[in-house]
Amino acid sequence: MELRVPRRRGAQEPVASFLRDPNTGRIYRRGRLLGTGAFGRCYKLTDMSTNRVFALKVVPRGRLSGLDQWGKVEREIELHSQLRHRNVVGFHGHFADRDNVYLVLEYCSRKSLAHVLKARKTLTEPEVRYYLRGIVAGLQYLHQQGIIHRDLKLSNFFITKNMEVKVGDLGLATKVGPGGHCHGGLCGTPNYLAPEVVSRKGHSFRSDIWALGCIMYTALTGFPPFKASPLPEMYRNIRDAHYPVPAHLSPNARRLIARLLAPNPADRPSLDQVLEDDFFTQGFTPDQLPPRSCHTAPIFTIPQPLDKLFQKATQLFLAVTQRRAPRSFVPKMPTAPAPEDPLKTPREAAKEGLSHPPHKAEAPEGQTRPQVPYLETPIHLLLRRSLRGRSLRGHLPGTEESPGIPGDGAEVVTRLLQNCLDFMPAGEQDPPGRQQPVLWATKWVDYSNKYGFGYELSDGSTGVLLRDGTHIALQPALGCISYSPVQGEVVTFTWRDIPDSLATKVAVLQLFTRYMQRWLLEGGKLPAQPSLSPGPGFSLLHFLKSDQALLLLFSNQTMQVNFYHDHTKLLLNWAGEEPLLTYIDQERQATSHPLGVLQRHGCSEALRQRLRYTLHLLWTF
Ligand code: 9ZP
């Protein structure tokens, strides 16, 4: 016999598995429960005709019995349905049935910033800048529309699959007139009450700015600035902006928090001023965050002293490129080695300059865990960046609008690999290979959003593909610096005759070199091979990063692909006339095969997959 338990009054009706929006005729399939808010439950939702996924907010009509409550949902719908901004959760429709009102909202698969903070405890300053930049952009938009959010908190910032942050839940939001104040009652319990709200003087745009201060504080310290109990004491602390200041925050972070948490709303910065604050302008903000940073501390943190060096180098770099360079500025670089002694050993270098102990890279393979920005940039951005560089400039018919394979090596490499794969038999094992020394990049640093992409080769030489598309390399074996202003042209200098106009670029090269020598571990066990040193014309032409691999293409038509997830690598070198493919496996064992042998014999699935992915990357050039 089935026992039927009578439903409590006010308890929620189950939500149907399929829902039809009578206005559009769309049919949705309800997915799993995402969570429950004060208003009701939220589910994953799939549009059956398009397979697009949404987040569904279900507000039970039982809860809306009061006119007031009904008005609130209506207002949320009216406000939210008018909005469209990349940093505000998208509103995709609403409908109702006998039991519920349904809001179809943008689905954010990485949950909210509250979830991130719970997993991470605290966030780093670059991450906080990244998230705040998005939140401020969304908030600027809301404020421009005359909307005060009134309930900004970490759990209302949702994160999409590609790590974009979206301001959501406009349940307590209100639209104000030109005066900018609203004295209307505030139902619900906003999280971060501003002093003027506690004192019942009304909520203004600047009350949202106060909440930003609380959010920034919480993200950096792991706890809110004003604790919940006892309540009267908390209110007093809020009115006095009296909160503990943790010593570990940077002075810039502390100063911005203090500005945001000014007791007098008029003293708080505007959103524009927030972005102009030293906290943003003097610190590194990633263009993108890797998804793993949702649960694991990021690996891109720049050790502070190095960051300072780079800041200094930026100023010098800009000074030179804007032709306002002081004539002798290299000695002013605080810890750069003197020009006549540029190549100190890592140990010597470690003795000077940076005062903190070297960060132990915990990467299983040592390298390829750069502590400098590790930006998983979408391919199209990299492509543009790469095209913006010198590789196509003035040499090839391709333009930014018509990419195609650049004819500078990528074309040759692409054809070779394509042929090899096309004609390879379906063998399942690699042919017997040989252990052969090859030249490869053992370390790399992507700081291309500011300076360039730096690398160290197995012969100990280093190079930087600079942001402006030029290339500079330090070749100790040849005792020279080579500078390549455009692809195919190279000038070499000894330390004595470096022209003033190149001093800043040399300084940047030195910084990269020192950084790689001191902070990065070798990416494999292949012995260094000074005998394989490339000639002075050698340079990095392109780098391309996808979410799975890094591809490097050099001027002598050699190529390297590093696969992040298992640290395996593919190298394509030339042994005389013969293209040689080297595979570095998870055990860091390098095995080389002439490409022709692979083509005739076939290869293992592991190698085949990597070749296919490499081709896929090459085709995106
Ligand atoms: N939560 C665990 C506690 C069970 C989740 O796993 C989870 C997963 C989500 O996506 C995979 C998710 C939320 C929680 N995503 C999401 N939630 C939203 C949302 C978009 N995406 N919103 C869009 N506008 N408002 C928000 C809001 C309501 C739909 N939410 C969440 C708030 C509480 C639960 C859902």
Side-chain angles (χ1 to χ4, degrees), residues 371-603:
Q371 285 94 50
V372 279
Y374 175 75
L375 307 176
E376 291 180 7
T377 314
I379 281 186
H380 67 273
L381 284 183
L382 288 163
L383 181 59
R384 251 190 277 135
R385 187 180 295 164
S386 163
L387 295 179
R388 223 188 292 127
R390 71 222 176 103
S391 58
L392 292 181
R393 200 192 332 133
H395 294 268
L396 294 155
T399 64
E400 288 210 17
E401 286 69 41
S402 61
I405 307 170
D408 54 7
E411 192 177 23
V412 177
V413 170
T414 308
R415 288 225 181 92
L416 279 172
L417 294 185
Q418 187 78 60
N419 262 342
C420 180
L421 268 178
D422 285 351
F423 296 105
M424 191 185 263
E428 285 178 356
Q429 279 192 336
D430 289 333
R434 55 192 198 219
Q435 265 67 47
Q436 175 164 350
V438 287
L439 188 74
W440 66 299
T442 51
K443 303 176 181 181
W444 57 272
V445 168
D446 180 10
Y447 209 166
S448 54
N449 59 342
K450 280 199 172 155
Y451 303 99
F453 185 98
Y455 60 93
E456 184 175 304
L457 295 177
S458 47
D459 71 336
S461 62
T462 52
V464 183
L465 178 54
L466 292 150
R467 248 179 86 103
D468 64 355
T470 62
H471 185 276
I472 190 155
L474 184 60
Q475 286 165 320
L478 303 175
C480 70
I481 292 219
S482 340
Y483 178 66
S484 171
V486 286
Q487 190 187 329
E489 268 177 38
V490 64
V491 219
T492 57
F493 304 100
T494 64
W495 282 100
R496 272 170 227 287
D497 57 28
I498 294 167
D500 273 5
S501 59
L502 277 188
T504 303
K505 292 188 177 185
V506 172
V508 169
L509 172 64
Q510 286 179 296
L511 288 168
F512 269 98
T513 300
R514 284 160 51 84
Y515 184 80
M516 289 186 288
Q517 288 180 347
R518 300 184 62 229
W519 291 86
L520 303 181
L521 305 179
E522 300 275 330
K525 265 196 204 144
L526 303 189
Q529 284 293 329
S531 62
L532 290 172
S533 290
F538 178 89
S539 66
L540 174 66
L541 294 185
H542 303 281
F543 71 95
L544 179 69
K545 281 159 73 187
S546 73
D547 56 343
Q548 295 179 47
L550 163 77
L551 184 144
L552 303 178
L553 195 69
F554 296 96
S555 57
N556 61 351
Q557 298 183 335
T558 69
M559 181 204 71
Q560 174 169 340
V561 186
N562 291 7
F563 296 90
Y564 306 141
H565 73 288
D566 58 1
H567 308 290
T568 57
K569 293 167 188 80
L570 273 191
L571 315 174
L572 185 76
N573 296 75
W574 292 81
E577 292 291 285
E578 183 183 48
L580 193 72
L581 192 87
T582 303
Y583 177 53
I584 305 181
D585 66 17
Q586 274 167 289
E587 275 68 52
R588 303 187 205 172
Q589 288 304 322
T591 314
S592 304
H593 306 277
L595 209 57
V597 172
L598 281 183
Q599 188 169 324
R600 284 192 298 278
H601 180 282
C603 68

Side-chain angles (χ1 to χ4, degrees), residues 42 49 66 69 169 211 221 225 236-237 305 332 382 405 425 432 492 502 531 563 565 602 620:
C42 300
S49 60
Q69 295 298 316
D169 199 347
T221 66
R236 199 171 50 245
N237 285 340
K332 284 193 203 157
L382 288 163
I405 307 170
T492 57
L502 277 188
S531 62
F563 296 90
H565 73 288
T620 62

Side-chain angles (χ1 to χ4, degrees), residues 13 33 67 92 95 110-111 115 206 254 256 347 356 412 429 457 460 477 525 541 594 601:
E13 296 293 333
L33 186 72
L67 261 182
H92 295 279
F95 54 96
R110 300 195 194 277
K111 307 185 204 174
H115 290 102
R206 300 275 159 134
R254 272 189 243 174
L256 178 55
R347 186 168 299 187
H356 55 96
V412 177
Q429 279 192 336
L457 295 177
K525 265 196 204 144
L541 294 185
H601 180 282

Side-chain angles (χ1 to χ4, degrees), residues 79-131:
L79 276 184
H80 201 164
S81 59
Q82 312 284 321
L83 303 176
R84 212 180 150 85
H85 187 273
R86 64 182 291 185
N87 297 110
V88 174
V89 165
F91 186 96
H92 295 279
H94 66 101
F95 54 96
D97 62 18
R98 196 172 46 95
D99 300 321
N100 305 303
V101 177
Y102 303 98
L103 275 60
V104 181
L105 301 159
E106 182 173 3
Y107 178 66
C108 300
S109 64
R110 300 195 194 277
K111 307 185 204 174
S112 74
L113 254 186
H115 290 102
V116 173
L117 198 69
K118 190 166 174 220
R120 291 280 310 282
K121 309 295 181 238
T122 59
L123 301 184
T124 61
E125 293 194 7
E127 286 173 288
V128 171
R129 277 189 284 272
Y130 170 86
Y131 287 120

